[in-house]
Amino acid sequence: MNSEIIISLEHVTKRYKVGDGDFTALSDINLQFKKGEFAGLVGPSGSGKTTLLNIIGSLDSPTEGKAIVMGKNISALSHKESAMLRNYHIGFIFQVYNLMPVYTVFENVEFSLILQNKSAAERKKAVMESLDWVGIADMANKKPSKLSGGEGQRVAIARAMVKRPDILLADEPTANLDAKNAHAILQTMKALNKELNTTFLFSTHDEKVMGYLDRMIHLEDGKIREDEIIPHKLSV
Amino acid sequence: MLFKLAYKNLEGAGLRTWLTVGVLSFAFVIIILINGIVNGFNDQAINDAVNWEIGNGKLQNEKYDAYDPFSIKDGHGILPDSKNKDLVPVLIRQASIYPQGRMVSVTLNGIDINQKLLKLPTILLQQSTEEIPAIIGKRMAASANLKKGDQVLMRWRDSHGTFDAANISVAGIFNTNVTTVDAGQIWISLKKLRAMTDLDKSTTLFIAEKDYKQERVAGWKFLDQDELLKDLRAMVQIERISDSIIYLLLLAIALLAIFDTQVLSVFRRQREIGTYISLGMTRPQVVGLFTIEGSMNSILAIIVGGIYGIPLFLYLSYYGIAIPAGADNMGLSMGEKITPVFGAGLVLGTISLVVISSTIVSFLPSRKIAKMNPVDALKGKIQ
C-alpha cells in the first residue's frame, strides 16, 4: 500500500431538514484514506455510514466541512464534474446489486466503459477480464433475473471494477447473501484490492465483512466513536 | 450510445412498448390515410371542375354574375371575332320545363356542339336528328324524372321578353361529379339557343382553351382557374379541418399513452436512475435517455405502421376507395371512387408531426430526473 491520501474528510457535517427542524446525520467527521486501503464504516442503522459513503461518492455533499476525493472538493463540483469523478475514479456496489434487468451480464458490466467512450474491442476485453476476476465469465449472456444472489453481487463487483476505479464504495454488499456467498464475495474483493491496489470502503454492520477489514471506523449517531487499525486476521 | 440503451430498455418493457407502438402506429396510418383521401378528393374535385366546367378560365360578360340569377337576362354580349380565338362560347338563359305536369325552373345553356374542351358529351347534340336535342346530367334526370329519348315541354323568353315554348328531346344523360353543370342545367346547341332567343352572336361567357392568350376586352372580365377554384378549395379546407379533429384525437390518445408510460417510468425506475447517475451518467444524459426512449416509440410506430400501412396505401392508390351511390355527404359531390394521393410531403410531414410530438411528451415528464436527488433515487424514496 502506498501512502497517497485519496480521500480526506475535514470537519464534515451533514444535516437534513426534517419537518421544522434538522436531523444531523454526520457530525464533525475527520478522516483520511490512503490508496489501497480495505476499510469499513461500521455501526448500527442510522449511524451515518451510508451518508458518509454517498458524500465520498459525490452523490451527496456535506452541509459543513470539506470532502476532498481524488484531490477534488466534492462541494465545489458541478453535476458534470461529479459525474466524471464517478465515471473514472469511483465504483459503487449496492446492497440490492442495482443491475439493469433488461441488459445481459455483459452489457451491465460494459455500461461504465460505454460512458467512457471506450472502443468495442477495449470494452470486450475489459468486461471479460472483469467477469473472469469474479468467476462468472460463462454467464456473460445471461439476464440478471436468471442469476442467484451471489452471482448478481459478483456482476455488481465486476461492473464496479471493470473501469479500474481508484475507490470502490460498497454499501452493505453482503446483506442479501448467505454466509458461503458472502465469504466468497469478500475474498474476491480482498484479492482485487491486493491485485489492483483499489481502495475499498465498506458500509456494514455484518460481522463477516468486519473479519476481512484492515481498518474499521466505528460510527455512532453520526460521530466517529473509534478508528481502529486491525492486524490481518484472515488470509486470502 | 443513448439510442442503443433506449432501444434495450424499450425492448425490455415488452408488451407495454408494443401496446403504445400499436396505438401510435394506428394514429400514424390514419393521419396519412385521411389526408391522402382528402388530397385525392381535392385533386379529383379540381380535375373534374376543370374538365367539366371551367377549362383554363372563363372570360365572362361583365354584367353576368354566376351567383346572381337576375344577371342572366342582360349578362351577355358580342365579342369581336378577332378576340374569341381558343375560346368555347356559352350562352346562358333561364327557362322552365314541365315534366309530368310539374314546373321546374332550369338554366338553359347553349354551347358550341363542336367543342372538345369540356367533357360534356356535346357530340350527342351533333348526332341527334330531333328538333331541339338536349343533354342533361344524372342529377337533373333524376329530379325531373327524365330518361334518354324523353321529350319534355320547355318554355323560355326571347330577347324581346316574348314567351315561347317547344318540346326538347333528351339526347343523352351524362355522369359527372360537378353539380354546377348538372343540377337544374339543360345543355343545347348554342346556334339553336341563339335562334330561339333571338340573340344572334351573343354569348354569356367563354371557356378558355389551353392556348388562350388572355387580353383585356372592354365589357368582359377574365377569371382564371385560381379565382374559379377558390370556393372549392375553401370547402376542401373545411373538410380537411374537420377530418384533422379525428386524427388529432387519435394522436392525442397515443401521445397520452407515451406520457403516461414516461411518468410511470420516471417514478418506477428511480433506482435505475440513481444507478445510472452513480455509474457516471450526467443528469442531462439520463433525461436524454428517457426522452429518447419515449420518442423511440414513435420510430417503432413508423416502422410498424409502414409494415401494414404501405401495402394498404399502395392498394388504395391503385384500386381507389369505392363510394356508395348518393354519398354526397361531404358537402361536395364525390365520384364513384376516390383515389387517395399519398405524397412524399404528406408522409414526411406526418412522420415529423408524430416524432416531434412524441419527443415533446417524452421530455416533459423526464425533466423531473434533472431535479432528482440521486441518493433518494437510489433508495426509491421520491414520491
Side-chain angles (χ1 to χ4, degrees), chain B residues 185-215:
Chain B
Q185 308 290 317
I186 290 177
W187 296 83
I188 64 171
S189 154
L190 174 66
K191 200 173 158 190
K192 183 77 71 184
L193 183 57
R194 279 173 173 168
M196 284 158 58
T197 55
D198 198 18
L199 286 168
D200 190 30
K201 293 190 176 174
S202 253
T203 311
T204 305
L205 56 87
F206 292 87
I207 299 161
E209 306 241 18
K210 196 176 153 202
D211 297 330
Y212 172 69
K213 300 242 177 346
Q214 191 190 329
E215 57 179 311

Side-chain angles (χ1 to χ4, degrees), chain A residues 66-111:
Chain A
K66 259 206 277 192
I68 313 283
V69 178
M70 301 302 299
K72 296 188 191 310
N73 183 352
I74 295 297
S75 305
L77 295 179
S78 66
H79 284 312
K80 195 174 176 187
E81 286 166 337
S82 60
M84 291 285 277
L85 179 69
R86 289 191 294 271
N87 194 4
Y88 285 92
H89 300 287
I90 302 171
F92 285 89
I93 297 172
F94 304 99
Q95 182 179 337
V96 286
Y97 327 137
N98 287 14
L99 300 176
M100 311 297 177
V102 297
Y103 304 156
T104 62
V105 165
F106 184 94
E107 288 163 345
N108 264 285
V109 177
E110 186 189 26
F111 190 88

